[in-house]
Amino acid sequence: MKAIYKIALLAVASASLTACFDKSAPNYQYMPNMYEAVPYETYSEHAVFPNGKEGQMPAKGSIPRGFVPYEIPNTTEGYEASKANPSPLDSVGFDAPRAEQLFTIYCAICHGDKGDGKGNLPKREKFLGVPSYKDRVITEGSVFHVETYGLNAMGSHANQLTQEERWQVARHVMNLKSQL
Amino acid sequence: MSSHYEAPIRKPLIIGDKNYHDVTVDVARPVEGRANKQWWIAFSIALAAFLWGVGCVAYTVGTGIGTWGSNKTIGWAWDITNFVWWVGIGHAGTLISAVLLLFRQKWRMAINRSAEAMTIFSVIQAAMFPVFHMGRPWLAYWVMPIPNQFGSLWVNFNSPLLWDVFAISTYLSVSLVFWWTGLLPDFAMLRDRAITPFTKRVYSIVSFGWSGRAKDWQRFEEVSLVLAGLATPLVLSVHTIVSFDFATSVIPGWHTTILPPYFVAGAIFSGFAMVNTLLIIMRKVSNLEAYITIQHIELMNIIIMITGSIVGIAYITELFVAWYSGVEYEQYAFLNRATGPYWWSYALMMTCNVISPQVMWFKKIRTSIYVSFVISIVVNIGMWFERFVIIVTSLHRDYLPSSWTMFQPTFVDAGFFIGTIGFFFVLFLLYSRSFPVIAQAEVKSIMKTSSETYKKKWASEGHGHDNHSHSENNHH
């Protein structure tokens, strides 16, 4: 009887100690001394910023070190002009496995692994009208232009891919086109 | 009693015509009576000091260690000084109850209970400093090697500060058990004398149903002896470990192999002084002069004199080794102690610790209660300054002159220290009114060997020395 009483007491104690934990809310903390950041962390929200966001836009026209602005404008003429824009990559600079990986991550979902316009989303008819590379007149420069600005239904990928990566992908696209 | 041999040179330890019942009555009187006005005044003062200390500690924990006078160079100052001081004071209690038990010193019996109480209360004071000198005392439990969710992150067992944790906690718990075991027969005595149901109930609980059977006594004695055997190495190791906080460092003035025994000697020195301070008052206010006699005070004074001399030798050894070492940092550390900005604290320490115990060579002085009382306080002041000198003067000027600085305590430093003194006396005053302050069971066991009544009886009957030594001679 004494043992049962003790076990019951232990059960009540442990239940009362854990009962206040709410799965839908962050748990209680013991002395959160250095849990919250004193500096402004990336993506954090602070009232001190004009729109409350830590990520503020850089000044217009400023150029960070190691970055070359893309000068061709996002217009029809610009697109035509971009076709003559050469790739900065030489044969050594092109990294075929990495280019393929980047294409698989960012492009193949619509364009398909082979570039034939049969990616998962058009196949499942989430949307239609993704052309095959075979049917389009494209150069490495125009692919880079479209990756940078987007075209029609396609959005800009300049956020996801760096300039160098976009040139890698552009060459991969041209390789796929040659195999179609 | 003719078979008993007791050298007639030994003076009685229980004076006055006391029988067993008188001992009981004398010991129980402070517990059974009511506190007088002086007690309440003393208690109120102690309580006020304690509460002031609580406020200072709360302020420190709430605001930060920056409220103290410690700085970047002197990270340890009053906090650790007071810690070591209180631990040192605590050591005499165990010395009296354990070491003197091993040496079969009968005179310890009248003083061991209060000395142990003093140990426990002062170790409690000491234990507060390691916690509250932490920057984040709420994480103090991290010093324990407890399995946890940080991949079972453990403590590093290489730090003497961790050894301190083990030393102090073990010391407190063993002392508490030793003390309480000894209290059982005395609590039982109070239980059996209790006239109100409340006191009856309280003393029934704390005496654990002691009934004083032969088997109980036999085991009681063995436990006492085993605990004394355990407590003796413990008491030596605890203050040794405390001294390791300094001795294992690389600071000139700290890094010394002499520190462990020298700290222990200092602990006994200051502890006995504190016992003397307390007992000189207690024997008067609790009317225990028949048990805590001038002989007890004299013997404690002799121990103070011996340990004071050991401490004095240690000081001289340190100075000699500093000179002999050829290490200019070490030499400067001692030059700085003697002639630097804290020369007065070094001078005070030297005067109080080296000169004051030497007056005990004079019988007239060591048998004077007033002088003993004054010296006992002087010794504790000196021993406080010893810790202060070792800690602060070594830190404030060491390797890099660019890091030399001074230490200035704040009122919070002082308030915490005053608070621990207040807390100590709160506990001790409460103890003296609710606990049997003399181990009456032990004192009764020496009644027939060391009380004045029996000594007189043998002298008049012609027993004892002469008769017995004849029979001794016949045997050989």
Side-chain angles (χ1 to χ4, degrees):
Chain A
M1 202 56 212
K2 228 174 176 178
I4 293 169
Y5 178 72
K6 274 180 191 166
I7 291 164
L9 195 74
L10 202 70
V12 169
S14 50
S16 62
L17 284 174
T18 52
C20 297
F21 170 57
D22 179 4
K23 271 182 195 157
S24 62
N27 206 349
Y28 295 97
Q29 295 169 342
Y30 174 68
M31 293 286 174
N33 292 151
M34 290 168 77
Y35 290 18
E36 303 294 332
V38 176
Y40 301 130
E41 291 206 311
T42 314
Y43 305 130
S44 58
E45 290 178 21
H46 294 283
V48 72
F49 297 114
N51 56 358
K53 295 174 181 172
E54 187 273 341
Q56 295 293 296
M57 294 303 289
K60 256 205 166 81
S62 60
I63 299 171
R65 190 177 291 247
F67 181 82
V68 181
Y70 184 55
E71 304 280 0
I72 302 171
N74 184 16
T75 56
T76 318
E77 297 82 54
Y79 176 68
E80 290 306 327
S82 73
K83 286 186 177 168
N85 190 24
S87 169
L89 295 177
D90 51 18
S91 61
V92 182
F94 178 59
D95 183 351
R98 185 155 68 90
E100 190 184 350
Q101 283 163 8
L102 291 170
F103 183 86
T104 310
I105 292 164
Y106 296 107
C107 315
I109 191 73
C110 299
H111 289 283
D113 284 325
K114 293 195 182 79
D116 52 4
K118 292 198 175 70
N120 261 336
L121 292 177
K123 263 199 278 184
R124 292 176 191 172
E125 299 187 340
K126 299 295 175 192
F127 55 80
L128 299 171
V130 180
S132 169
Y133 293 145
K134 190 173 66 178
D135 306 333
R136 287 289 186 274
V137 183
I138 50 173
T139 68
E140 253 179 286
S142 75
V143 172
F144 181 84
H145 185 89
V146 171
E147 285 169 345
T148 306
Y149 291 124
L151 187 69
N152 300 332
M154 180 172 154
S156 167
H157 281 63
N159 256 349
Q160 288 93 323
L161 297 162
T162 66
Q163 284 177 328
E164 193 263 350
E165 284 168 339
R166 297 204 291 275
W167 283 116
Q168 298 280 0
V169 171
R171 183 157 301 176
H172 184 71
V173 166
M174 296 313 289
N175 288 350
L176 288 177
K177 179 179 164 66
S178 67
Q179 286 160 23
L180 285 169
Chain B
M1 289 306 293
S2 57
S3 66
H4 177 75
Y5 176 75
E6 169 101 354
I9 196 166
R10 291 189 182 278
K11 280 176 272 177
L13 290 168
I14 303 166
I15 55 177
D17 245 351
K18 301 288 181 187
N19 58 30
Y20 289 131
H21 182 65
D22 293 334
V23 176
T24 306
V25 171
D26 288 343
V27 172
R29 193 188 302 115
V31 182
E32 291 170 348
R34 298 195 73 86
N36 59 15
K37 206 169 162 191
Q38 283 92 333
W39 187 89
W40 281 108
I41 291 168
F43 184 74
S44 307
I45 294 168
L47 192 67
F50 170 43
L51 293 176
W52 171 241
V54 170
C56 286
V57 168
Y59 177 51
T60 302
V61 174
T63 310
I65 292 295
T67 56
W68 291 3
S70 308
N71 53 47
K72 281 197 285 182
T73 299
I74 303 159
W76 279 355
W78 275 40
D79 48 352
I80 301 300
T81 300
N82 297 330
F83 162 68
V84 181
W85 189 71
W86 276 119
V87 176
I89 284 173
H91 275 46
T94 320
L95 251 296
I96 288 167
S97 56
V99 178
L100 298 186
L101 172 67
L102 296 184
F103 285 106
R104 303 281 179 207
Q105 294 297 303
K106 287 177 180 171
W107 62 276
R108 74 168 219 289
M109 290 175 178
I111 56 171
N112 61 355
R113 174 67 40 75
S114 295
E116 285 170 47
M118 188 199 72
T119 293
I120 286 153
F121 302 150
S122 57
V123 173
I124 290 170
Q125 310 313 320
M128 284 196 285
F129 288 98
V131 175
F132 293 117
H133 92 304
M134 287 183 178
R136 295 182 187 187
W138 49 91
L139 298 180
Y141 67 96
W142 283 13
V143 302
M144 295 296 178
I146 307 165
N148 54 58
Q149 290 179 314
F150 304 102
S152 227
L153 179 69
W154 269 32
V155 285
N156 187 335
F157 287 91
N158 289 336
S159 167
L161 298 181
L162 181 66
W163 309 340
D164 273 345
V165 173
F166 299 136
I168 301 295
S169 56
T170 311
Y171 186 47
L172 182 61
S173 39
V174 170
S175 300
L176 200 60
V177 169
F178 195 14
W179 186 52
W180 207 272
T181 314
L183 275 162
L184 293 179
D186 298 357
F187 278 147
M189 177 270 280
L190 289 176
R191 173 199 64 197
D192 297 342
R193 287 174 56 87
I195 43 170
T196 69
F198 176 73
T199 47
K200 186 102 188 158
R201 177 131 184 83
V202 168
Y203 289 111
S204 302
I205 292 167
V206 293
S207 63
F208 296 176
W210 176 267
S211 58
R213 293 171 302 177
K215 199 71 200 170
D216 296 346
W217 278 114
Q218 185 261 327
R219 286 174 177 160
F220 177 89
E221 291 294 330
E222 287 209 24
V223 163
S224 301
L225 198 60
V226 167
L227 280 177
L230 282 174
T232 302
L234 188 65
V235 76
L236 300 181
S237 68
V238 167
H239 219 65
T240 294
I241 286 168
V242 169
S243 82
F244 283 168
D245 295 346
F246 313 102
T248 61
S249 74
V250 294
I251 302 291
W254 279 12
H255 186 74
T256 339
T257 50
I258 199 174
L259 242 52
Y262 151 37
F263 263 51
V264 173
I268 301 165
F269 180 51
S270 67
F272 269 82
M274 189 61 134
V275 174
N276 237 353
T277 313
L278 295 174
L279 289 186
I280 285 171
I281 298 169
M282 180 180 266
R283 69 195 287 275
K284 187 83 190 161
V285 299
S286 298
N287 290 316
L288 297 169
E289 282 133 316
Y291 308 99
I292 302 163
T293 65
I294 193 71
Q295 195 194 164
H296 289 86
I297 292 167
E298 185 185 357
L299 286 164
M300 284 194 279
N301 281 335
I302 289 172
I303 291 183
I304 288 171
M305 180 183 81
I306 293 168
T307 49
S309 305
I310 295 172
V311 168
I313 289 169
Y315 291 165
I316 297 163
T317 309
E318 273 193 326
L319 286 173
F320 170 76
V321 170
W323 166 77
Y324 187 65
S325 69
V327 180
E328 60 182 353
Y329 295 107
E330 187 78 6
Q331 287 167 348
Y332 181 73
F334 283 89
L335 189 71
N336 180 46
R337 280 184 193 180
T339 63
Y342 290 110
W343 67 271
W344 51 271
S345 61
Y346 187 71
L348 208 56
M349 146 188 147
M350 276 292 185
T351 321
C352 296
N353 293 350
V354 181
I355 298 169
S356 76
Q358 298 308 320
V359 301
M360 299 298 186
W361 288 98
F362 302 102
K363 192 172 174 76
K364 227 189 170 111
I365 288 178
R366 70 168 183 263
T367 51
S368 156
I369 289 174
Y370 295 105
V371 180
S372 304
F373 185 71
V374 171
I375 297 274
S376 71
I377 288 169
V378 165
V379 164
N380 269 317
I381 293 169
M383 284 309 293
W384 191 91
F385 274 100
E386 183 201 289
R387 278 65 185 253
F388 177 80
V389 164
I390 290 172
I391 293 170
V392 170
T393 64
S394 304
L395 287 177
H396 89 118
R397 288 187 176 178
D398 60 353
Y399 293 112
L400 294 176
S402 58
S403 301
W404 286 7
T405 180
M406 289 293 287
F407 169 73
Q408 183 71 48
T410 66
F411 80 93
V412 191
D413 280 303
F416 190 4
F417 181 44
I418 291 165
T420 56
I421 294 174
F423 191 19
F424 176 82
F425 279 105
V426 163
L427 291 170
F428 200 85
L429 285 166
L430 287 173
Y431 150 82
S432 68
R433 296 224 43 89
S434 52
F435 280 55
V437 294
I438 286 182
Q440 52 90 27
E442 292 200 61
V443 166
K444 284 172 183 170
S445 74
I446 55 167
M447 178 67 83
K448 286 187 176 169
T449 60
S450 309
S451 72
E452 200 180 2
T453 323
Y454 281 85
K455 294 236 178 210
K456 271 190 196 148
K457 206 167 117 196
W458 300 324
S460 64
E461 286 171 5
H463 285 313
H465 184 73
D466 288 339
N467 282 355
H468 200 80
S469 56
H470 281 306
S471 58
E472 280 280 285
N473 290 341
N474 292 344
H475 280 300
H476 291 295

